Amino acid sequence: GKIAYFKATISDKPGALSKLLNLIAQNNVDLIATASSAIERGKTAEWTAIADISECKNIKRIEKEAMSSGSVNKIDIKIK
């Protein structure tokens, strides 16, 4: 498959990570490994993942929609 590495800084609030993961699932991204941790409790958290994006039609759409979601401060997607 086609592999991508995700790194996102998100709000450390209930539902913020769920919102991002739902967006990723809706775009046919298959998560292989993920990790998340609070950077500043109640304010910001970091989420990283390795994913198979072979079935994803538009990876840029994920970046655009994540940034406009209100819960993602920054997202970087590197395709290998």
Side-chain angles (χ1 to χ4, degrees):
K2 195 174 186 183
I3 301 297
Y5 297 86
F6 289 74
K7 183 175 182 179
T9 304
I10 62 173
S11 299
D12 186 28
K13 294 188 166 65
L17 180 56
S18 176
K19 195 182 286 189
L20 176 58
L21 295 179
N22 284 332
L23 171 63
I24 286 169
Q26 290 167 1
N27 283 277
N28 298 315
V29 173
D30 182 13
L31 296 175
I32 298 166
T34 72
S36 62
S37 60
I39 296 172
E40 189 175 349
R41 187 84 174 107
K43 292 191 178 181
T44 56
E46 183 176 84
W47 175 76
T48 57
I50 301 169
D52 181 339
I53 59 166
S54 300
E55 300 298 317
C56 181
K57 304 287 187 245
N58 188 347
I59 198 78
K60 292 291 181 194
R61 179 178 170 209
I62 294 173
E63 289 182 70
K64 182 181 176 188
E65 288 187 23
M67 291 303 297
S68 66
S69 72
S71 55
V72 175
N73 303 327
K74 181 178 178 186
I75 187 166
D76 292 312
I77 304 171
K78 294 192 179 8
I79 300 169
K80 296 290 177 177

